Every structure is written in structure tokens, then in C-alpha cells.
Amino acid sequence: MKIICKRQQLNEAVLNIQRAVSAKSSVPALEGILLSAEESEITLCGYDLELGMKTKIEAKVEEKGRIVLSARLFGDIVRRLPADDVHLSVDDKNITKIQSGPADFSIAGIPAEEYPELPSITGETSIKIANCTLKSMIRQTIFAVAESDAKPIHTGTLFELDKNKIRLVSVDGYRLALREETAKCEEELNFVVPGKTLQEVMKLLSDDDEELEILIGRRHILFQIGSYCVISRLLEGEFLDYRAAIPNTSAMEILVSTRSFIESVERVSLIITDRLKSPVRCLFEDNEIKVSCSTSIGRASDQLPAKMEGEPVEMGFNNRYLLDALRNTEGDEVKIQLNGALSPMKILPREGNSYLFLVLPVRLKSEA
């Protein structure tokens, strides 16, 4: 194998592909990036047996071939090369020579035959959606994905497709995030994509209206984002019946400035630490939200105006869960619906229903 390519293109590709490479694996090849040189381009591939990513960059290919190089070492070398052009050649003992300007490296490669095949997608359904739309949908739901493996299915986000509508739902036992948009899809289909995959997909998505294609198979999903292809296994299991968790009625409705509410919760959270946890108390009454908190460090309180209709209520919340939901809203104001001290807080846009967040309250001890 013998190629010449641009350092900047190679560096960008390696940085992205590295994220799909195993940090530690019993199969040494999985800690590497597979480079394949064909015609006038090279393909770079990373795969950790759950998530795979590949991309192509232009290159002058003098000799075709394939080699696996340590992702960490190759990435470090490429990042520090001095010249614009990179000359890469592999001999029959898999020794890989990397040259750029006066810099010259020789590193041991791994035969490409030891690299596992990426899964192929069978029985696929295809949907198309704008980059910016999917990016916004993932951003507004990923925060509620479960971090613990108690229920592995909840470490992913549920995708629901029905007649030109796509819905993303994440739950972790303490909160729920739902986001809905129109999309080009013909079939009705439900599947769960791992949160880790969606984090990587979100990093590759641009903020433009260009469409990407998603192919859904029986066990795997493929995202075609520009020159990148991301393939991932789907999670199996029974996802929570989220519709049953969403309250249908509300005893109180509040309209409040998102920014003001976030800043108020942030202020009283200053006396909460990882060791000193305490719920943030929110008293909703008389067109005012009184926010307070007390820990062994001290007490903090604040208040802000809001438009309210309904019965006053006092509730307690985990400050991080409440802030996560508020920070992921869109628009200057949010609509909050409450149904008693122990029923979830429902956060909606001022108008429409493009998103819906639920935050479960914390039972408050009566203050001495």
C-alpha cells in the first residue's frame, strides 16, 4: 500500500473515527483504525463491536492495500505532522512508514484480515430528515437517557415512526423527554438506539437543512451523514409505556420566563454539592415562584414572577434534573403544568407540542 493525502483531511477523519474505536479490547485490531486504499480514495473505519464508523477521503493511491494502525498512536502522529502532504506506505511485514516534510515514522501495523467485518443492514426501512432537525431532536432528548444498566433498554432513545412523523423519547426513571417532528417515512416502526451512538451522531451532524438518510434493519441502524457512515446495533427489550406516565390533566398551569427560572434555580443550587444533596423547593402561588434550598452549608432563597392559573402547590426537585429540562427547552417562555405535590412537573413549549419534558418531584420533609 502506498498513498499520498492531505494532512488536514486525514487528521479530521482520524479524530472522528477514533471515537468508534475500542479503548481496550481483547482483540488488538479493534484498538486500531482500518485504512483501505482504493482507486483515488482511502476509507478509514473504526468499530468497537457495538458502534462502527467509516468515512472516505481523497488520496493519490500508488498501490492499493489495507492495514490496521493503532488509533491512539496514528492519531497522535497525524496531529503533529509538520507538512501539508502525508506519504504513507506499508511493506509486506506490515511496517507502516509515515512521512511528512522532514518528519519520518515507522510503526508496526496489524494485518487487515484480523479486523472484524462491520454488520450489514438487512430488511431495511429508510427515512430522510434534515441534519439540523435531527441534531435538535437528539439534543432535546439525550439528557434523559438512563446512565445505569439497571434496565439496558433505557440507556437508549426510543424512535417512533408513523406516517410522516418521527418521535424521540428518553426516560431514566426520574424524568422523561419527548420530541416530535415531521419526516419522510412511509412505515410505522419503533426501535431503540443506544445513547452512546446518538452522542456520536450528534457530533457529526451539521446545523444546515441538508438531508441525511437513516436505514433501519432488524438489529442495526445506519446513519449516512455527509461522507460519514455510522452503524450501530439496536437495543432489545420492552421500553416503558411512556404514554401512561404522562399526566392527562393539570390542576395548575404556569407561564414563566425560561431564563429567569434557570437563573433562580442555579442561584439557590450554589449551596448544593456532590456530598451535600438537598432538593430545591418550589412554591407556586400568587403569580410567583418562590425557590429555596437548605443544606448544612446554609440556606438560599429567591423568587421570580410567573403567570399562574389554578391551586397553589409546593414541590421539591433534584436541581440537576430540573435544570437539564429547562436548559433543553426552546423559546423565551415555557408552559409548566402541575397536578399536585407528588405528580410529575410537565414542561411544554408556550405554544404547540413539539417537545414535552417530565421531571419527577422529590418528597419534601416538613421544615422545622
Side-chain angles (χ1 to χ4, degrees):
M1 176 169 154
K2 202 171 181 185
I3 59 158
I4 302 166
C5 64
K6 293 290 175 197
R7 185 189 63 86
Q8 198 174 342
Q9 280 185 302
L10 183 63
N11 186 41
E12 189 184 318
V14 171
L15 275 173
N16 285 323
I17 296 296
Q18 258 179 326
R19 299 204 300 266
V21 175
S22 289
K24 250 188 167 55
S25 172
S26 54
V27 181
L30 285 177
E31 292 177 31
I33 291 175
L34 172 67
L35 276 77
S36 311
E38 305 266 337
E39 305 305 331
S40 58
E41 58 190 17
I42 51 169
T43 303
L44 292 89
C45 177
Y47 183 40
D48 66 3
L49 297 183
E50 290 189 5
L51 170 72
M53 201 187 290
K54 59 182 181 179
T55 189
K56 293 179 176 175
I57 62 167
E58 287 177 16
K60 186 180 174 190
V61 179
E62 293 175 6
E63 272 178 43
K64 294 180 187 178
R66 298 165 81 220
I67 190 73
V68 178
L69 300 175
S70 157
R72 191 188 56 78
L73 180 57
F74 185 50
D76 286 348
I77 290 171
V78 172
R79 197 163 58 247
R80 290 177 172 81
L81 290 175
D84 287 342
D85 286 343
V86 179
H87 296 251
L88 193 144
S89 60
V90 182
D91 68 15
D92 51 11
K93 291 193 174 126
N94 298 311
I95 299 299
T96 306
K97 203 173 169 66
I98 305 162
Q99 286 174 296
S100 177
D104 195 333
F105 291 85
S106 281
I107 61 171
I110 297 170
E113 295 73 47
E114 293 181 23
Y115 201 83
E117 287 256 341
L118 252 63
S120 55
I121 301 269
T122 52
E124 79 260 11
T125 301
S126 161
I127 57 170
K128 288 190 173 171
I129 187 167
N131 272 276
C132 56
T133 304
L134 183 61
K135 190 174 186 175
S136 149
M137 291 184 84
I138 295 172
R139 181 185 67 79
Q140 285 191 287
T141 50
I142 195 99
F143 71 90
V145 165
E147 288 171 12
S148 84
D149 283 343
K151 279 198 169 174
I153 190 80
H154 292 153
T155 61
T157 295
L158 171 70
F159 280 59
E160 282 190 338
L161 310 182
D162 57 44
K163 293 292 175 244
N164 296 325
K165 194 155 272 190
I166 179 167
R167 196 176 297 111
L168 269 61
V169 186
S170 300
V171 293
D172 71 354
Y174 306 100
R175 57 222 171 136
L176 174 150
L178 180 151
R179 179 82 155 73
E180 193 170 275
E181 278 289 343
T182 51
K184 294 174 187 166
C185 56
E186 298 299 315
E187 295 181 49
E188 292 188 11
L189 194 64
N190 293 354
F191 52 91
V192 180
V193 183
K196 182 195 169 193
T197 300
L198 294 175
Q199 291 277 15
E200 298 309 335
V201 164
M202 188 164 69
K203 288 172 192 165
L204 293 173
L205 289 167
S206 59
D207 293 313
D208 58 34
D209 291 336
E210 198 177 319
E211 285 193 332
L212 71 134
E213 188 173 23
I214 306 173
L215 296 175
I216 307 109
R218 288 194 188 92
R219 296 205 168 164
H220 293 88
I221 185 165
L222 185 147
F223 297 84
Q224 188 64 57
I225 308 162
S227 62
Y228 285 85
C229 165
V230 179
I231 192 163
S232 164
R233 71 183 178 93
L234 294 171
L235 294 177
E236 292 175 10
E238 196 67 42
F239 201 84
L240 175 84
D241 176 10
Y242 70 87
R243 285 183 176 85
I246 299 170
N248 293 321
T249 57
S250 67
M252 184 177 226
E253 191 162 292
I254 301 141
L255 204 60
V256 63
S257 153
T258 317
R259 183 79 255 143
S260 300
F261 200 4
I262 289 171
E263 286 171 356
S264 194
V265 175
E266 283 175 342
R267 270 194 288 276
V268 301
S269 298
L270 292 171
I271 60 166
I272 299 172
T273 67
D274 286 341
R275 283 188 309 111
L276 299 170
K277 288 186 166 50
S278 179
V280 167
R281 270 176 194 267
C282 297
L283 174 62
F284 302 91
E285 72 175 348
D286 300 334
N287 289 322
E288 232 170 28
I289 304 174
K290 293 189 173 96
V291 187
S292 62
C293 182
S294 74
T295 67
S296 57
I297 297 174
R299 290 171 173 244
S301 64
D302 194 21
Q303 61 189 57
L304 64 149
K307 291 177 190 161
M308 299 179 184
E309 281 178 26
E311 295 296 309
V313 63
E314 185 174 30
M315 303 174 78
F317 294 99
N318 174 305
N319 66 316
R320 186 168 70 86
Y321 295 164
L322 181 54
L323 285 169
D324 278 350
L326 290 169
R327 284 173 185 149
N328 283 288
T329 58
E330 286 173 346
D332 296 335
E333 289 185 309
V334 286
K335 186 161 69 181
I336 293 172
Q337 292 179 345
L338 305 173
N339 208 12
L342 297 175
S343 187
M345 173 191 273
K346 195 167 164 184
I347 302 174
L348 300 153
R350 181 179 174 155
E351 284 161 8
N353 57 357
S354 62
Y355 65 81
L356 180 153
F357 302 149
L358 288 188
V359 184
L360 262 64
V362 178
R363 196 180 286 272
L364 289 170
K365 297 185 183 80
S366 57
E367 288 196 292

